[in-house]
Amino acid sequence: MNLTRLKGPGLFAAVAVLALVVAPLVLEPFRLGLLAKYLCFAIIALGIGLAWGQGGMLVLGQGVFFGLGGYAMGMHLKLVDAQGDLPDFMIWSGVEQLPALWKPFANPVFALAMVVLGPMLIATVLGLLVFRQRVRGAYFAILTQALAAAFVILLVGRQGLTGGTNGLTNFFDLFGQDLAADSTQRGLYFVVAVVTGLLYLGARQLVGSRFGRLLVAIRDGEDRVRFLGYDPARVKTVVFAISAGMAGLAGALFVPVVGIISPALLGVVPSLELVVAVAVGGRFALAGAVLGAVVMGYAKTSFSEQFADGWLYLQGALFILVMTLAPKGILGLAASARDALARRSKRPTTPESPPTDDAPGRRVMEEVG
């Protein structure tokens, strides 16, 4: 199957076949579980692609929303395993009564709702407070990064409530299914793959809508959009909340797939790694965000096994090379190569290239205006 000649629906169908048919047949359970983990990261990257690539909001604290969704799911699973008793880490910490914060999460409906609604609510409040003050650019990025650092400190400091540095682990049951069984893990992979595909289609539909064109216009000229009578703060808040909801859902899927949620997975460094992944894949294209997350996840697993001490340096060097030599990422390189081949063969082509920095969305603002 030649994926380079496929575009749009054909390419999506080909990738879906590879993910839902080929991968479960050729990968052993352990590798299939790793792919499910990469797809969880791809969901977060998709939200970053919306906020950063399409909206110009550099989010460096998506680990917060990932953690909120992950802890919501983890709390429910721990209460199910406890069967009316206290979770194991609370017993070790000397807690004698289940905290009031934990009690609602015994209900699966409430827990699943909080997986998405909790991060979206916090992102909405934060967005309204920040964007209405016209905080943007590096200031917004630093703010989200500081939020991630503060969230980790809070989790580590509440040992009896959150499990401290160890987080929540040792999950055994998922809605009546044995989490350790290969069949359950295979089923989880299919769930993660389908959710990733549906979210990608939804995000693509959003970007192609009038709202999406307005979002791109805000990215390329926020003040000009404001002069046209639109409220950029409201649009950016909506997209920021959507990206937070995606991160929360990814965290909820990550917990049963990997079997742990801890502060080490939520801090500044993991959040930065996701931004690097989006940049490597191509932040101006949603497919690039997903591709970058999967590629970086696989690279981290492969190279860290051989270069355990030097992987972070390789990752940093990769980010510098991409931002210097290929600021549009892997998909940008592919588009440039396709253009070059088309020119050499003297055949016209109309690639879906990401916008360039020297074209500040004038046509887009004419459409939304």
Side-chain angles (χ1 to χ4, degrees):
M1 184 181 298
N2 190 355
L3 296 179
T4 60
R5 296 185 179 181
L6 295 176
K7 296 180 181 180
L11 181 58
F12 179 83
V15 173
V17 170
L18 289 175
L20 297 176
V21 179
V22 178
L25 292 177
V26 301
L27 296 179
E28 59 185 18
F30 174 72
R31 296 298 174 183
L32 195 65
L34 286 178
L35 182 55
K37 183 175 74 170
Y38 304 154
L39 291 178
C40 291
F41 293 146
I43 295 175
I44 311 174
L46 188 61
I48 295 175
L50 272 177
W52 183 33
Q54 305 300 317
M57 296 172 283
L58 179 55
V59 286
L60 300 181
Q62 290 300 89
V64 173
F65 308 117
F66 175 76
L68 289 173
Y71 271 89
M73 176 60 75
M75 290 163 70
H76 172 70
L77 296 181
K78 293 299 291 184
L79 290 175
V80 170
D81 292 338
Q83 296 182 353
D85 298 326
L86 292 176
D88 49 11
F89 75 91
M90 289 187 182
I91 297 175
W92 304 333
S93 301
V95 177
E96 299 180 353
Q97 187 177 3
L98 186 67
L101 178 64
W102 274 70
K103 293 180 180 179
F105 289 92
N107 187 320
V109 176
F110 178 85
L112 291 176
M114 290 304 296
V115 159
V116 177
L117 296 181
M120 292 187 71
L121 178 61
I122 293 178
T124 299
V125 173
L126 180 63
L128 290 175
L129 293 175
V130 171
F131 295 134
R132 291 199 179 279
Q133 299 299 321
R134 301 187 184 182
V135 177
R136 54 188 176 183
Y139 300 101
F140 176 74
I142 294 173
L143 178 64
T144 58
Q145 189 177 55
L147 183 64
F151 184 58
V152 170
I153 294 174
L154 176 64
L155 293 175
V156 172
R158 302 302 300 272
Q159 172 72 36
L161 186 66
T162 64
T165 56
N166 295 323
L168 305 181
T169 186
N170 295 327
F171 307 113
F172 303 103
D173 182 273
L174 177 66
F175 303 122
Q177 303 297 318
D178 181 11
L179 263 178
D182 289 344
S183 59
T184 303
Q185 290 298 317
R186 184 175 294 270
L188 278 172
Y189 167 77
F190 281 109
V191 171
V192 174
V194 170
V195 168
T196 304
L198 292 177
L199 288 177
Y200 171 78
L201 291 177
R204 187 177 177 87
Q205 184 71 21
L206 178 66
V207 170
S209 66
R210 187 171 183 270
F211 181 87
R213 294 194 295 271
L214 179 60
L215 179 64
V216 173
I218 291 173
R219 178 196 69 192
D220 294 337
E222 181 174 336
D223 293 332
R224 297 175 64 184
V225 172
R226 185 178 292 107
F227 294 151
L228 290 174
Y230 293 95
D231 185 3
R234 185 176 303 174
V235 176
K236 293 168 72 172
T237 299
V238 170
V239 175
F240 186 45
I242 292 175
S243 69
M246 288 184 176
L249 182 57
L253 294 172
F254 181 89
V255 167
V257 167
V258 179
I260 186 174
I261 186 70
S262 69
L265 300 168
L266 317 177
V268 174
V269 173
S271 299
L272 287 173
E273 288 179 348
L274 288 168
V275 174
V276 171
V278 173
V280 169
R283 69 183 179 97
F284 293 110
L286 297 177
V290 174
L291 176 64
V294 175
V295 169
M296 289 294 288
Y298 174 78
K300 183 176 182 179
T301 300
S302 301
F303 292 133
S304 62
E305 293 174 354
Q306 305 176 29
F307 309 102
D309 296 331
W311 160 242
L312 291 178
Y313 296 103
L314 291 174
Q315 187 180 48
L318 177 61
F319 178 68
I320 294 173
L321 287 174
V322 168
M323 296 304 293
T324 303
L325 303 178
K328 299 175 186 176
I330 296 174
L331 290 191
L333 282 177
S336 299
R338 188 168 65 246
D339 291 345
L341 291 175
R343 286 194 297 267
R344 289 186 61 181
S345 60
K346 296 182 179 180
R347 292 183 299 181
T349 181
T350 56
E352 296 181 0
S353 301
T356 57
D357 293 336
D358 59 349
R362 184 178 298 111
R363 179 180 60 83
V364 176
M365 279 186 275
E366 290 176 356
E367 292 179 359
V368 300

